[in-house]
Amino acid sequence: MCRILSYSIVLLSFLVSCKPSKTTSSKDASPIIETIGGRNVSVSEFTYVYNKNNAKAPDAYSAKSLKEYLDLYTNFRLKVREAEELGLDTTESFKKELEGYKKQLAQPYLTEKGVTEQLTKEAYERMKEEVNASHILINVTPEADPKDTLAAYNKISGLRQRAVSGESFEKLAVEFSEDPSAKTNKGSLGYFTALQMVYPFEDAAFKTKKGDISKPVRTRFGYHIIKVNERRPSQGQIRVAHIMVRTTPGSPAEDSLAAKQKSEEIYNRLKKGEEWNTLSEQFSDDANSKSKGGELPWFSTGRMIPNFEDAAFALKNVGDYSQPINTPYGWHIIKLLEKKPLESFADLEPTLKTKVSKDSRSELNRSILLQRLKKENQFVENPQTINNAVSLADSSLVKGTWEKKADEKANGLLFTIGTKRYLVNDFFTYLSNNRSSLKSTASPSQAMRNAYKKYVDEELIKYEESHLEQKYVDYKMLVKEYRDGILLFQLMDEKVWSKAISDTTGLRNYYDKNKEKYRWDTRANAKIFSVSNETTLERLKKELKNERFPVKNKSYEPITFESGKSTLSEENIASLKRIANDLNREKSNILEVTVKSDAKESKNAGLAAARGKAIRSQLIANKADSTRIIIKEQNKLVAPKGNKDATLNKKAEFALFSKSPKVLEADFNQENALTLQVNEGVFQKADNENLANVDWKPGEYTSKKNDRISYVLISKIEEPRAKTFEEARGLIISDYQNYLEQEWISALKAKYPVAVNEAEFQKLIKK
């Protein structure tokens, strides 16, 4: 697979995006730099791809750089030509994949980048401030009939006039607001900042002065009037922990009182010096945070229940904690862990752009895009035909059962985009294909007009997508390169990558002909230790005197046997499977099994041996290496007096060891992860810097550098030799893939002769 990776890097170099630029006229002729099997490659095509990948290189446009890249590009085009000849570009799977990529590539061209950048900067500037506001809502759906929209507007306007004239905004909210929460919060929304409300609401709130009431503003929920109560600078972000005693709204008074008293008792114990984390673990009802000391994620204004948020931000110093405060979820004691101010625009810009593109602001961006597309593509409507179409709407439309109408009015011209004509009949087909999504509470005629607007918008986007290749050279080239890349990947896999991996005979023959390419230099079989100090080194040397080392992060429960028997239970078999898996996972592991029998069991002296044999057989059945299983037998053991454990001596115990000192790291590094580092294997001299300055012969070597001690044990020096097939397999596959590719390219050049226009090539050389 190494060749696939390297080739993919080359392939991706052809697929790098640049800033959009307009396409030159299709009539502009470009000289030919080469022909491949009679097909021309223009200078403009070659230089476009060359510039994207080489324009900033120090040797750009030198003869050497141009020649190398032309060779690479020629090979690329030869393979694509073959894929086309094989018809790979006609398959449904290819068309579907390319269409998906085209949709993705089109997105940057179907947005108003200037608008996005402006909205991103606006959002950041607004995030510097937090607004406390109340609102009154009169519901009206986006697709409502004009008469219903007007009625809602008149109602909200009347309420605004009453509030401006001095009536209590809170009382009006309680009595008239159609926001369900207004009955309890009197219309108050607390503090919020940018990107926390739908954009039209946010926009009106930030543009309204403190103490003023906004003019009616429409969102997808209906019409609002907004009263701005306060403004303050951003409080930034905060991270806190809490201990929560849960209550639920409507619970009996005695339960609420008990929860309050419990939280006060926890608070008093904190004041007496008891550990926060201990009290959180013992008493907090927040299952998600109690084991982590009650820690909550970072949050900013508008992300939490207002009184929780207020209490949290009121804490001044890290470590301070609040008195118990009540929320709909219960009683909380809040501890301050960390505060930070609003991040810089540079840090937040990528995140803000993503949010803006998904926020209701995107509707503004789309609206401006559609206006531009109408202007650029000479969009013209026929109002009379639109009215004729609307007159055919009936109740089946809003019920989602619309059927295409056969009517003379269906032949009229609705609108044109560029030179393309859109008839009523086309629109009715659209309605029939999307009828289930047309269900609405609006009148049939209004639903028809809403659907018409959506149809126009979709067709404008489709028209633009279908003409992007004529408008933008970058898009045209990217689509071409993705198309060619998809074709090439499939054929390369068939001809080179998978073929090389699966062709074992070809690999072996290639190895036999090129053995001298695959050689080991002189190597040392060594263990290399890096330790933090002399004390650690002395401890290490004592440990290394052992031939094997306990794997301390693996322990197993003993398995027990019925009295006098060696048969394994289903539970025992499952346990042995897990143990076998651990043994198999690392070839240096050794399993020691201590098998016991009790003096009170059968007089059979071989009972422990029989149990050991059953265990060994089961481990081997799970593919464990028998040479790394050590069975120890302890027969007819007598339990200590007073011990009533009937299974004490009727079991097998397991211990995992390793021949590799690598396992010592976990033990040594419990307090400091850098106390001991272990590296072992067969090394060439350049493989490890600790081997560079030691005698290249068996022995032990100690040196010190940068406050670290290096301890090297060389057990054997291996002389230079040829690598075996298995040792060199990865390199052989890569080289064989190269060989197959070059052979394939030679065959393609014979099939599709290449002729370079040297005169045009020479004109490109600038260095």
Side-chain angles (χ1 to χ4, degrees):
M1 297 307 289
C2 48
R3 181 57 181 160
I4 295 178
L5 177 61
S6 62
Y7 194 87
S8 296
I9 294 171
V10 174
L11 175 59
L12 285 172
S13 71
F14 291 118
L15 307 179
V16 178
S17 175
C18 297
K19 293 181 179 178
S21 57
K22 294 285 185 177
T23 300
T24 55
S25 169
S26 59
K27 294 180 181 179
D28 294 343
S30 175
I32 304 305
I33 194 167
E34 68 176 348
T35 59
I36 300 174
R39 291 187 186 177
N40 295 332
V41 177
S42 68
V43 171
S44 61
E45 177 186 332
F46 172 71
T47 55
Y48 178 87
V49 179
Y50 178 86
N51 282 331
K52 287 201 297 184
N53 299 285
N54 298 276
K56 295 182 180 180
D59 64 342
Y61 284 96
S62 66
K64 182 175 181 293
S65 172
L66 285 165
K67 178 66 169 62
E68 288 177 351
Y69 205 78
L70 182 60
D71 288 343
L72 182 65
Y73 193 64
T74 300
N75 293 343
F76 178 78
R77 296 247 53 90
L78 279 165
K79 296 166 189 171
V80 172
R81 175 70 183 275
E82 177 71 354
E84 291 170 340
E85 291 295 325
L86 294 172
L88 299 184
D89 57 339
T90 64
T91 65
E92 286 303 315
S93 60
F94 165 80
K95 292 177 181 177
K96 185 176 180 180
E97 185 174 0
L98 179 60
E99 194 59 35
Y101 280 120
K102 287 178 71 174
K103 286 285 185 186
Q104 294 177 31
L105 295 172
Q107 291 311 304
Y109 300 86
L110 299 174
T111 186
E112 297 298 293
K113 291 186 178 180
V115 175
T116 299
E117 290 172 3
Q118 180 183 340
L119 289 172
T120 301
K121 291 176 182 176
E122 178 190 73
Y124 182 76
E125 289 303 313
R126 287 180 176 175
M127 288 174 69
K128 295 178 181 178
E129 188 177 27
E130 297 169 358
V131 174
N132 184 300
S134 301
H135 83 132
I136 297 173
L137 168 67
I138 300 301
N139 290 327
V140 62
T141 61
E143 69 273 10
D145 286 3
K147 61 180 178 60
D148 296 327
T149 301
L150 180 61
Y153 178 81
N154 289 337
K155 186 174 182 180
I156 200 75
S157 297
L159 291 170
R160 179 180 185 277
Q161 185 58 48
R162 290 171 65 176
V164 169
S165 298
E167 288 192 50
S168 166
F169 193 91
E170 291 73 19
K171 287 183 178 179
L172 290 171
V174 170
E175 186 174 354
F176 296 106
S177 181
E178 294 172 2
D179 178 350
S181 66
K183 301 299 180 188
T184 54
N185 65 20
K186 300 179 181 179
S188 175
L189 299 170
Y191 278 96
F192 58 88
T193 188
L195 297 165
Q196 293 180 349
M197 300 289 183
V198 290
Y199 182 66
F201 189 98
E202 174 201 305
D203 197 47
F206 273 88
K207 289 178 178 177
T208 300
K209 295 179 181 178
K210 176 183 173 182
D212 285 356
I213 298 171
S214 74
K215 291 182 178 179
V217 55
R218 189 172 185 181
T219 72
R220 65 175 182 267
F221 304 106
Y223 277 109
H224 312 251
I225 52 173
I226 306 166
K227 181 184 178 183
V228 174
N229 305 313
E230 291 288 346
R231 292 179 179 272
R232 69 186 181 196
S234 168
Q235 296 188 107
Q237 286 187 296
I238 192 170
R239 190 168 65 89
V240 302
H242 78 142
I243 298 173
M244 181 180 79
V245 180
R246 188 182 303 280
T247 60
T248 54
S251 59
E254 58 267 25
D255 291 349
S256 298
L257 179 61
K260 182 176 185 292
Q261 290 172 342
K262 182 178 176 181
S263 66
E264 288 172 345
E265 176 59 26
I266 297 169
Y267 177 74
N268 290 332
R269 290 172 69 168
L270 283 168
K271 288 177 67 177
K272 290 176 182 177
E274 292 195 37
E275 285 290 328
W276 173 279
N277 285 8
T278 302
L279 292 171
S280 171
E281 177 72 29
Q282 290 177 342
F283 301 115
S284 181
D285 291 329
D286 183 353
N288 292 323
S289 70
K290 63 184 297 182
S291 63
K292 299 178 290 185
E295 289 189 22
L296 298 174
W298 285 95
F299 64 89
S300 56
T301 294
R303 300 298 185 189
M304 290 287 189
I305 296 291
N307 52 336
F308 185 99
E309 190 177 284
D310 292 342
F313 277 104
L315 298 170
K316 299 299 182 185
N317 303 307
V318 172
D320 287 354
Y321 51 85
S322 71
Q323 293 186 2
I325 62 111
N326 189 229
T327 75
Y329 300 100
W331 290 87
H332 311 255
I333 303 169
I334 306 168
K335 178 182 177 182
L336 178 60
L337 301 178
E338 198 174 353
K339 277 184 178 181
K340 63 182 179 183
L342 178 68
E343 296 171 81
S344 69
F345 179 72
D347 289 336
L348 286 178
E349 186 178 11
T351 302
L352 289 179
K353 277 189 174 179
T354 301
K355 288 183 176 180
V356 164
S357 67
K358 296 178 180 178
D359 180 63
S360 51
R361 285 165 170 78
S362 61
E363 296 170 12
L364 176 61
N365 190 303
R366 182 177 171 86
S367 176
I368 294 172
L369 169 68
L370 291 168
Q371 291 175 26
R372 175 172 67 82
L373 296 183
K374 285 181 178 181
K375 184 176 180 180
E376 286 184 1
N377 299 311
Q378 296 86 45
F379 173 77
V380 178
E381 283 183 308
N382 188 335
Q384 184 57 51
T385 309
I386 297 170
N387 290 334
N388 290 341
V390 170
S391 70
L392 296 175
D394 56 35
S395 60
S396 67
L397 188 69
V398 295
K399 291 178 181 177
T401 59
W402 169 270
E403 294 290 346
K404 187 174 177 181
K405 304 296 181 182
D407 192 285
E408 60 182 17
K409 294 179 180 179
N411 297 320
L413 177 66
L414 276 176
F415 58 90
T416 57
I417 305 175
T419 58
K420 188 171 181 180
R421 295 161 56 85
Y422 297 81
L423 305 178
V424 175
N425 194 49
D426 301 322
F427 175 47
F428 283 178
T429 300
Y430 168 83
L431 293 177
S432 296
N433 292 339
N434 296 275
R435 57 190 176 187
S436 61
S437 65
L438 295 173
K439 292 181 181 180
S440 172
T441 57
S443 66
S445 60
Q446 185 59 39
M448 179 78 87
R449 290 191 183 277
N450 294 338
Y452 169 75
K453 182 182 182 304
K454 185 179 179 183
Y455 174 64
V456 169
D457 293 349
E458 290 181 11
E459 292 304 324
L460 281 165
I461 297 294
K462 287 180 184 177
Y463 186 87
E464 180 70 1
E465 284 181 335
S466 67
H467 288 76
L468 287 176
E469 293 186 41
Q470 288 77 49
K471 295 178 72 171
Y472 300 101
V473 64
D474 295 324
Y475 179 79
K476 175 183 178 181
M477 294 300 292
L478 277 171
V479 169
K480 183 177 188 301
E481 290 160 5
Y482 269 75
R483 170 195 178 276
D484 294 347
I486 297 168
L487 291 175
L488 186 57
F489 190 90
Q490 182 178 342
L491 202 54
M492 281 293 294
D493 187 50
E494 178 187 331
K495 296 288 186 180
V496 178
W497 300 327
S498 293
K499 181 178 180 180
I501 294 170
S502 61
D503 184 8
T504 53
T505 302
L507 282 171
R508 179 67 70 173
N509 290 338
Y510 186 84
Y511 167 74
D512 290 340
K513 292 177 182 177
N514 297 277
K515 278 186 180 180
E516 288 306 308
K517 288 175 62 177
Y518 310 110
R519 294 191 61 80
W520 291 117
D521 291 334
T522 303
R523 297 180 300 156
N525 197 316
K527 295 179 175 68
I528 304 167
F529 307 90
S530 174
V531 297
S532 57
N533 52 51
E534 292 286 351
T535 302
T536 303
L537 179 59
E538 291 307 310
R539 179 186 166 195
L540 172 66
K541 288 180 177 180
K542 288 181 182 178
E543 293 281 0
L544 290 175
K545 290 178 181 178
N546 300 313
E547 293 182 359
R548 58 187 187 182
F549 313 97
V551 181
K552 293 185 177 181
N553 63 348
K554 284 289 181 185
S555 61
Y556 308 103
E557 290 293 323
I559 65 172
T560 59
F561 293 88
E562 292 183 24
S563 182
K565 295 183 179 180
S566 60
T567 307
L568 295 169
S569 67
E570 289 298 323
E571 185 179 352
N572 290 346
I573 291 171
S575 296
L576 289 171
K577 183 175 183 179
R578 290 191 293 270
I579 294 170
N581 288 340
D582 288 339
L583 183 62
N584 296 339
R585 198 166 285 121
E586 176 55 59
K587 291 185 181 300
S588 64
N589 284 346
I590 298 169
L591 182 67
E592 184 177 283
V593 187
T594 302
V595 192
K596 303 177 181 180
S597 69
D598 193 88
K600 294 180 180 179
E601 289 190 283
S602 166
K603 295 181 180 180
N604 179 4
L607 184 57
R611 288 172 174 171
K613 183 178 180 181
I615 289 171
R616 177 186 288 276
S617 297
Q618 187 59 44
L619 289 169
I620 293 172
N622 285 297
K623 300 182 180 179
D625 181 354
S626 62
T627 64
R628 292 189 284 121
I629 302 171
I630 299 172
I631 305 289
K632 293 184 175 181
E633 300 170 13
Q634 295 182 1
N635 284 290
K636 297 187 177 181
L637 297 176
V638 178
K641 287 184 178 180
N643 193 312
K644 297 180 180 180
D645 184 358
T647 64
L648 183 67
N649 295 322
K650 303 172 186 177
K651 60 187 177 183
E653 297 172 329
F654 304 88
L656 193 65
F657 296 87
S658 175
K659 292 184 288 186
S660 168
K662 184 75 176 173
V663 299
L664 294 175
E665 286 184 340
D667 189 27
F668 276 63
N669 295 343
Q670 286 183 12
E671 294 184 5
N672 187 327
L674 299 179
T675 300
L676 171 65
Q677 293 172 282
V678 181
N679 200 353
E680 62 176 330
V682 183
F683 303 92
Q684 296 182 119
K685 205 160 194 175
D687 289 345
N688 190 293
E689 62 177 354
N690 293 305
L691 292 171
N693 300 314
V694 303
D695 292 338
W696 208 239
K697 61 183 180 180
E700 61 179 280
Y701 305 89
T702 305
S703 60
K704 191 171 183 179
K705 182 179 179 182
N706 298 331
D707 298 325
R708 298 286 296 183
I709 300 172
S710 170
Y711 180 56
V712 178
L713 295 174
I714 297 179
S715 59
K716 181 182 178 182
I717 298 296
E718 297 194 3
E719 297 302 320
R721 64 171 176 81
K723 293 180 181 179
T724 66
F725 178 80
E726 288 303 323
E727 288 173 334
R729 187 179 182 87
L731 290 172
I732 297 167
I733 289 173
S734 179
D735 290 346
Y736 188 49
Q737 286 173 337
N738 281 329
Y739 168 77
L740 289 176
E741 185 174 359
Q742 294 307 314
E743 289 290 301
W744 183 36
I745 288 171
S746 296
L748 291 176
K749 285 181 177 178
K751 186 175 182 180
Y752 310 110
V754 177
V756 176
N757 187 336
E758 283 296 333
E760 292 298 332
F761 178 82
Q762 292 298 321
K763 291 179 184 178
L764 295 176
I765 300 172
K766 297 178 182 178
K767 293 183 181 180

